[in-house]
Amino acid sequence: MNYFPEEVLEHVFDFLTSDRDRNAVSLVCQSWYRVFIGNCYAISAERLIARFPRVRSLTLKGKPHFADFNLVPHDWGGFVYPWIETMAKSGLNLEELRLKRMVVSDDSLELLSRSFVNFKSLVLVSCEGFTTDGLAAIASNCRFLRELDLQENEVEDRRGQWLSCFPDSCTSLVSLNFACLKGEVNLVALERLVTRCCNLRSLRLNHAVPLDTLQKILVQAPHLVDLGIGSYVHDPDSETYHKLKSAIQKCTSVRSLSGFLEVAPRCLAAIYQICLNLTSLNLSYAAGIHGTELIKLIRHCGRLQRLWILDCIGDKGLGVVASTCKELQELRVFPSDLYGVGHAAVTEEGLVAISAGCPKLNSLLYFCHQMTNAALITVAKNCPNFTRFRLCTLNPTKPDPVTMQPLDDGFGAIVQSCKGLRRLSLTGLLTDQVFLYIGMYAEQLEMLSVAFAGDSDEGMLYVLNGCKKLKKLEIRDSPFGNVALLTDVGKYETMRSLWMSSCEVTLEGCKTVAKLMPRLNVEIINESEQVEVEASPDDRQKVEKMYLYRTLVGPRRDAPDFVWTL
Amino acid sequence: METTLGLLGGGGGGGGLSGNSANETASTVSKAEQDYVSMSSEGSSYPKEAELELGLSLGGSGGGGSVKSSKGSPWGEYGRILTAKDFPAAGYSISRRPNNASAAVSGTKRSAAESSASPDVGSASTGVSQVVGWPPIRAYRMNSLVNQAKTPNAEEDKVVGGNDKSKDSLQKKINHGNVKNDTAVKEKGHLGFVKVNMDGLPIGRKVDLNAHACYETLAQTLEEMFFRPTTTISSIRSGGEKERATQPSKLLDGSSEFVLTYEDKEGDWMLVGDVPWGMFLSTVKRLRIMRTSEANGLAPRYQERNERQRSKPI
């Protein structure tokens, strides 16, 4: 029996909640229908189909994670078209496609919409390359479409009428999310669509959908479970607003709320009733809600399990969260002010308050102005259940402001206490010591993100040696070089990928890895105009960006000029 | 160190390469530390090492010469094109000394740092957003954050969909005289970051047009991005931009070897500066810093026109 890399075997069962269990599943079963591929270059579409001819649901991830932060040049790769083309030619009965960080052209969407009769679900996260014309093709041609979910994609608006392209015969929509679209939509077409899709349970609108349309939609779809509000601006004394209030009262199923891309705070009272039952609230794009209005809103949300918020909530606001949301499991606090020195929006105090009030917390993303070791130690004690812990101090090398020490001990406490930790991102002033702790204690760690940290190769070596389950390691601007890179090259075949940018590795080091490990693709992104392809670059030169990953199919053929596969 | 091969069946892969002696590690470390430390040690923005010299000289005196560390000096002397080599730490240089109380964060090429001795630099978040990929926020969210800061008050009028004929009070509030404004504002909200390419550089940048209210500040920002930045981080803040608007921009006045052009909605390449700022915003798709020599004789006319423009506010 052949083996496949874990990329393909992950998520082999339907609702496998624990990624750890997937390791136990090494059977390759031909009747397999849901496949997850964590790196689209680890395997080819042809081989996938040969192995899983009955694939119905495919998840593909393309660019490295740091591409989300503009560290990867635009045409690096991750094109979905070849996948769709191959699947179409092979007569696959594809029903679901989930893509993350991939380049999706209008042509691919068109081909997708025409090739798979039973296509039901398209989820695009952090993708780019398509316009509303592509969406129009999906709307027009996918007769049984159930789900169209666009999350944080860069979509060019062609001012077409893509929403109107859903034919009158389309009544199957269950989930529609177009919150990330920047352009207008035909509001009448939207209302009609909602009216005829009586199974609609999830609807996320973009900023161009005004409150009066929202009101009409809610009247037609009171069974919504997940609602994303576009524009929430109105005169609170108006008839429309009163109608909205009564429509909302009938929406007793809403458990997840998001959006408020534009908001008139005085109108928020209408949604307090919904808040009572909410388990998920995403106000991270609702810059218009802050201060007392925000706190008032939160006080109604006693059942929240997931909260995404902007840091203008402040430490005090987080205190309110801590005393209100006792069921909280996931918290994300995003920065709202990148330019000014400003008011310190949230600090370690807010986090400590949360940890004290919300013992079920297991997932954190926290952008803050400062953090202390004492706080992290307290958090580690209060919340031993973290599986995902991502902390970002806006100044990436800031020490503990009280003791002026590095944050090594704080993060050390986190990894020691949270035995189930699978994902970790660290910032602040950090030495090799923190990596020693990570290597020693973070036994379940699968993904680690490092920026501006460490002192020497030892740091990286601690991690590579210690974290047996490491899958993805991404490092930027840290002094790790060839010694760390080359000490255990076999390790990289146990991992999905390694990213190192602005570190100390040289071309020679990368070439060595490539030579020793033929089943890895070692790619250098070369953005300097000085080192040209013809000229032979100096091996001692430091490599700006290196991305290596295991693969079954050798160097990729779609690499642009500035990517060298060694 | 074991060399595990995971689920890939078959023979062993390469064995691990054990590192060299501690000596090499030590020297690597010290060099790395030196690189990082030297960036901030002298209280100057840029060390004088040769590695920072390169590229074309772009007019003015001493272009291509060694880097000077003065801040705020007038634009003139630094005609250099920076390439990736100038950004060893993604344009951000961090002091690595753990016992350095200030944990100074000094910008390098992107913008001149405050003196690293400043005790507050460590706690300030000024200029953090100027480092590539920092803070680590998804680009979509970053764009949206910036746009939201620029869009008008939520309570203001909005143009509702054309089909809406409701007699709702909202309709009454719509000031038809402002329709054009709203559209322009909406388009503006739509724009956010646009690409900027410069002749001779294969890799482009992106600039946020919504962070500017006039051509001068835009040109200043581009000059900082592509040429030697000499201004302080604090000037990136919106307040500072206004202050600096009075400094003449080399890119706009025709005295540089380069001119600033843009591609409009119709796909034509146009010289930046001819039309009112708002109109420019509604039609610009992307920018290009073009060699004057390629601008086909536009420069003399432009220079003349700009003499006039400089005397009146844009």
Side-chain angles (χ1 to χ4, degrees):
Chain A
M1 185 169 297
N2 294 337
Y3 284 102
F4 261 71
E6 278 190 358
E7 275 84 19
V8 178
L9 292 181
E10 286 162 310
H11 288 211
V12 289
F13 288 119
D14 264 21
F15 290 98
L16 208 63
T17 48
S18 158
D19 285 348
R20 285 162 277 187
D21 290 342
R22 73 178 194 268
N23 288 336
V25 180
S26 54
L27 273 178
V28 173
C29 179
Q30 279 232 333
S31 64
W32 216 224
Y33 81 89
R34 180 175 294 205
V35 176
F36 171 91
I37 296 180
N39 176 2
C40 66
Y41 290 118
I43 187 174
S44 69
E46 288 82 5
R47 286 182 70 151
L48 172 77
I49 295 168
R51 203 75 209 134
F52 303 105
R54 301 210 195 107
V55 160
R56 284 202 240 139
S57 167
L58 178 63
T59 302
L60 273 176
K61 293 190 184 179
K63 302 185 199 177
H65 177 229
F66 278 173
D68 274 346
F69 317 134
N70 290 330
L71 285 180
V72 174
H74 183 66
D75 300 320
W76 176 87
F79 307 103
V80 76
Y81 189 88
W83 288 83
I84 297 179
E85 191 179 29
T86 307
M87 289 191 289
K89 282 195 191 136
S90 71
L92 216 63
N93 181 20
L94 191 70
E95 293 183 9
E96 294 177 0
L97 187 62
R98 289 171 167 71
L99 304 177
K100 188 168 187 180
R101 277 190 292 274
M102 294 201 71
V103 178
V104 181
S105 61
D106 282 346
D107 285 345
S108 6
L109 291 177
E110 171 91 26
L111 184 61
L112 177 69
S113 72
R114 291 194 188 283
S115 308
F116 307 106
V117 195
N118 291 320
F119 193 74
K120 293 193 174 60
S121 166
L122 180 64
V123 181
L124 302 178
V125 180
S126 197
C127 295
E128 45 145 357
F130 61 104
T131 76
T132 47
D133 289 351
L135 298 178
I138 297 286
S140 309
N141 304 326
C142 299
R143 294 197 298 147
F144 304 114
L145 194 69
R146 287 206 205 135
E147 179 177 26
L148 178 60
D149 184 0
L150 308 171
Q151 299 176 29
E152 300 190 327
N153 303 290
E154 293 290 350
V155 185
E156 188 186 318
D157 191 83
R158 288 271 167 92
R159 308 243 186 275
Q161 295 280 328
W162 69 274
L163 202 65
S164 320
C165 291
F166 283 105
D168 289 341
S169 54
C170 171
T171 58
S172 48
L173 272 183
V174 173
S175 166
L176 177 63
N177 172 8
F178 60 92
C180 66
L181 296 188
K182 301 188 183 96
E184 304 292 323
V185 289
N186 185 319
L187 299 174
V188 172
L190 175 62
E191 289 168 39
R192 288 217 199 107
L193 182 66
V194 171
T195 304
R196 64 181 183 271
C197 293
C198 24
N199 291 326
L200 195 66
R201 292 293 172 268
S202 169
L203 179 64
R204 297 194 185 189
L205 310 167
N206 76 346
H207 74 100
V209 181
L211 190 141
D212 51 343
T213 305
L214 173 67
Q215 179 264 318
K216 291 180 201 155
I217 286 175
L218 290 181
V219 167
Q220 294 298 327
H223 301 299
L224 283 177
V225 171
D226 169 30
L227 175 62
I229 290 179
S231 169
Y232 196 73
V233 177
H234 218 281
D235 177 359
D237 298 321
S238 65
E239 193 193 328
T240 302
Y241 180 66
H242 288 295
K243 282 198 228 164
L244 175 75
K245 278 211 299 208
S246 55
I248 287 184
Q249 276 182 357
K250 302 203 179 74
C251 296
T252 52
S253 308
V254 174
R255 295 289 173 272
S256 165
L257 190 62
S258 61
F260 295 96
L261 309 175
E262 281 153 11
V263 56
R266 291 196 300 151
C267 295
L268 286 174
I271 62 157
Y272 290 159
Q273 196 139 5
I274 293 188
C275 292
L276 298 175
N277 290 324
L278 284 183
T279 55
S280 169
L281 178 61
N282 180 355
L283 295 178
S284 65
Y285 285 100
I289 309 179
H290 40 249
T292 48
E293 288 301 332
L294 180 55
I295 306 275
K296 241 195 280 181
L297 191 73
I298 301 275
R299 286 201 197 276
H300 287 86
C301 303
R303 300 213 184 121
L304 269 193
Q305 294 170 18
R306 180 196 308 172
L307 177 63
W308 291 22
I309 199 107
L310 291 171
D311 65 0
C312 49
I313 191 173
D315 285 333
K316 293 224 169 60
L318 288 178
V320 175
V321 173
S323 56
T324 308
C325 310
K326 294 306 188 185
E327 302 296 312
L328 198 67
Q329 294 177 28
E330 176 182 332
L331 175 67
R332 296 196 190 188
V333 180
F334 294 95
S336 57
D337 175 17
L338 298 174
Y339 294 113
V341 181
H343 47 286
V346 295
T347 69
E348 75 278 7
E349 287 180 21
L351 185 59
V352 168
I354 292 280
S355 73
C358 312
K360 295 190 184 175
L361 199 63
N362 60 46
S363 174
L364 181 74
L365 172 62
Y366 196 75
F367 286 84
C368 56
H369 282 236
Q370 63 182 49
M371 185 52 55
T372 65
N373 283 312
L376 284 174
I377 292 169
T378 305
V379 169
K381 228 185 304 187
N382 291 339
C383 296
N385 297 319
F386 276 117
T387 54
R388 285 178 288 244
F389 192 89
R390 292 191 280 167
L391 190 82
C392 180
T393 54
L394 288 171
N395 177 340
T397 57
K398 197 173 156 77
D400 180 328
V402 174
T403 64
M404 290 317 193
Q405 292 303 304
L407 292 180
D408 300 335
D409 290 342
F411 281 105
I414 294 286
V415 294
Q416 201 172 349
S417 164
C418 304
K419 310 234 185 291
L421 193 68
R422 298 200 310 265
R423 182 171 181 182
L424 179 64
S425 299
L426 5 97
T427 46
L429 188 64
L430 297 163
T431 72
D432 284 345
Q433 182 70 17
V434 72
F435 298 109
L436 174 64
Y437 291 140
I438 293 174
M440 259 187 357
Y441 296 113
E443 290 173 13
Q444 303 298 319
L445 195 66
E446 294 176 9
M447 180 170 176
L448 180 64
S449 307
V450 176
F452 303 97
D455 308 310
S456 74
D457 288 318
E458 288 304 308
M460 185 169 160
L461 284 172
Y462 290 139
V463 172
L464 290 176
N465 293 339
C467 299
K468 300 296 179 208
K469 300 205 176 174
L470 195 63
K471 294 277 160 290
K472 295 205 291 190
L473 179 57
E474 47 186 23
I475 304 173
R476 63 167 291 183
D477 295 277
S478 301
F480 307 133
N482 290 343
V483 170
L485 181 67
L486 296 174
T487 298
D488 179 8
V489 288
K491 171 85 176 169
Y492 306 131
E493 263 186 9
T494 71
M495 292 166 54
R496 185 188 298 175
S497 64
L498 168 66
W499 167 282
M500 293 181 74
S501 60
S502 304
C503 297
E504 301 290 316
V505 293
T506 68
L507 190 54
E508 180 176 11
C510 298
K511 282 185 179 174
T512 309
V513 180
K515 197 161 35 156
L516 291 172
M517 304 296 293
R519 274 188 297 228
L520 297 181
N521 278 352
V522 181
E523 294 184 8
I524 307 293
I525 296 175
N526 169 42
E527 292 172 296
S528 165
E529 65 167 286
Q530 298 218 312
V531 188
E532 285 166 351
V533 186
E534 300 89 4
S536 67
D538 184 357
D539 275 3
R540 286 161 301 168
Q541 212 170 350
K542 281 190 215 165
V543 161
E544 251 317 291
K545 295 175 183 174
M546 177 203 73
Y547 179 56
L548 63 82
Y549 53 90
R550 65 183 174 187
T551 178
L552 290 178
V553 291
R556 56 187 175 110
R557 273 162 263 147
D558 63 359
D561 287 341
F562 54 82
V563 172
W564 301 347
T565 305
L566 300 179
Chain B
M1 270 148 273
E2 38 169 337
T3 57
T4 51
L5 294 176
L7 289 177
L8 294 176
L17 245 201
S18 62
N20 274 348
S21 67
N23 283 344
E24 175 167 299
T25 310
S27 63
T28 310
V29 169
S30 62
K31 180 174 188 314
E33 215 169 324
Q34 212 172 13
D35 279 347
Y36 285 86
V37 168
S38 69
M39 297 293 192
S40 62
S41 62
E42 291 128 10
S44 66
S45 355
Y46 306 95
K48 300 177 177 61
E49 280 116 22
E51 70 195 17
L52 297 180
E53 301 181 13
L54 46 86
L56 311 175
S57 101
L58 292 170
S61 57
S66 67
V67 174
K68 295 203 189 127
S69 63
S70 56
K71 310 166 225 185
S73 58
W75 251 95
E77 309 98 272
Y78 302 110
R80 296 198 304 115
I81 301 175
L82 302 177
T83 67
K85 228 177 129 191
D86 281 318
F87 299 83
Y92 220 84
S93 159
I94 314 292
S95 160
R96 305 296 308 162
R97 287 218 181 96
N99 49 8
N100 179 354
S102 64
V105 167
S106 28
T108 53
K109 286 66 187 183
R110 206 69 56 99
S111 48
E114 310 286 3
S115 161
S116 62
S118 158
D120 289 332
V121 172
S123 56
S125 62
T126 46
V128 162
S129 59
Q130 297 306 306
V131 179
V132 173
W134 198 266
I137 302 174
R138 200 171 263 173
Y140 172 87
R141 182 179 287 278
M142 187 82 100
N143 281 354
S144 163
L145 186 65
V146 171
N147 286 345
Q148 274 186 330
K150 305 298 172 191
T151 46
N153 191 313
E155 303 268 26
E156 275 181 14
D157 308 329
K158 278 184 54 79
V159 178
V160 188
N163 286 336
D164 188 353
K165 292 187 167 56
S166 89
K167 299 187 186 70
D168 197 74
S169 59
L170 179 66
Q171 196 72 11
K172 294 193 207 119
K173 281 186 165 186
I174 290 175
N175 180 349
H176 291 283
N178 279 345
V179 165
K180 221 189 244 177
N181 227 6
D182 284 337
T183 318
V185 157
K186 262 209 196 119
E187 309 251 292
K188 190 175 163 179
H190 173 61
L191 271 182
F193 287 83
V194 296
K195 293 183 190 173
V196 191
N197 284 85
M198 176 158 152
D199 285 354
L201 294 186
I203 302 295
R205 301 288 303 273
K206 274 198 165 179
V207 68
D208 171 30
L209 290 181
N210 287 334
H212 299 276
C214 65
Y215 290 115
E216 283 298 336
T217 61
L218 172 63
Q220 296 282 4
T221 300
L222 291 178
E223 280 164 356
E224 278 172 33
M225 269 189 189
F226 285 91
F227 308 114
R228 177 140 203 92
T230 59
T231 49
T232 60
I233 293 173
S234 61
S235 61
I236 306 296
R237 282 186 263 158
S238 46
E241 278 166 2
K242 298 200 184 97
E243 293 157 25
R244 284 174 32 242
T246 50
Q247 262 189 359
S249 158
K250 287 174 65 66
L251 275 177
L252 290 185
D253 67 10
S255 62
S256 166
E257 202 179 292
F258 287 78
V259 288
L260 186 56
T261 64
Y262 71 99
E263 184 185 15
D264 68 8
K265 280 203 153 70
E266 284 151 24
D268 299 318
W269 284 94
M270 315 290 290
L271 210 51
V272 164
D274 284 340
V275 300
W277 175 256
M279 193 185 296
F280 167 71
L281 277 193
S282 66
T283 187
V284 60
K285 274 173 47 179
R286 54 190 169 130
L287 298 166
R288 180 175 156 204
I289 300 175
M290 192 186 287
R291 291 202 175 89
T292 309
S293 51
E294 283 185 28
N296 288 332
L298 286 174
R301 174 176 72 84
Y302 187 61
Q303 204 162 13
E304 175 196 287
R305 176 188 276 268
N306 230 62
E307 296 297 325
R308 295 200 310 268
Q309 270 195 339
R310 231 195 283 178
S311 53
K312 52 181 185 185
I314 294 175

